[in-house]
Amino acid sequence: MSGELGMVGRAMIESRVSELETDLEELTAEREDLVARVSLLRPESLDPDMLDERARLNLNLVHTNELVVLRPGRRYEVN
């Protein structure tokens, strides 16, 4: 009834299993999103919009006729 393998211990283990399953679902969804984004950067399926987005982000550049929207909570560097 009591102890690590008793009723209380079992409830704690089941709670932990539930937390870990939730974490697994979140990480699986994140991984699927990353796999999809990486597939767009492969030479055989290169998406021009994705290439443009990555280049702008990494080089910190915009066109002169574009409007830049800064979102709160992000850190931006100015070149």
Side-chain angles (χ1 to χ4, degrees), residues 12-28:
M12 289 174 33
I13 291 171
E14 288 175 352
S15 173
R16 182 68 176 140
V17 166
S18 177
E19 291 172 8
L20 291 172
E21 286 175 342
T22 301
D23 290 348
L24 177 61
E25 289 174 7
E26 291 172 1
L27 290 171
T28 301

Side-chain angles (χ1 to χ4, degrees), residues 9-78:
R10 181 181 174 110
M12 289 174 33
I13 291 171
E14 288 175 352
S15 173
R16 182 68 176 140
V17 166
S18 177
E19 291 172 8
L20 291 172
E21 286 175 342
T22 301
D23 290 348
L24 177 61
E25 289 174 7
E26 291 172 1
L27 290 171
T28 301
E30 183 179 343
R31 183 182 186 280
E32 290 172 357
D33 180 55
L34 290 172
V35 166
R37 290 176 62 87
V38 166
S39 71
L40 294 174
L41 294 172
R42 292 200 173 107
E44 61 273 3
S45 64
L46 189 59
D47 180 15
D49 290 335
M50 179 64 76
L51 179 62
D52 186 57
E53 174 190 331
R54 295 281 84 192
R56 290 167 179 255
L57 181 66
N58 290 328
L59 299 174
N60 199 22
L61 297 174
V62 295
H63 290 289
T64 55
N65 62 345
E66 291 180 329
L67 175 67
V68 176
V69 178
L70 301 176
R71 299 188 311 192
R74 299 257 176 143
R75 188 172 150 238
Y76 299 96
E77 295 179 19
V78 178

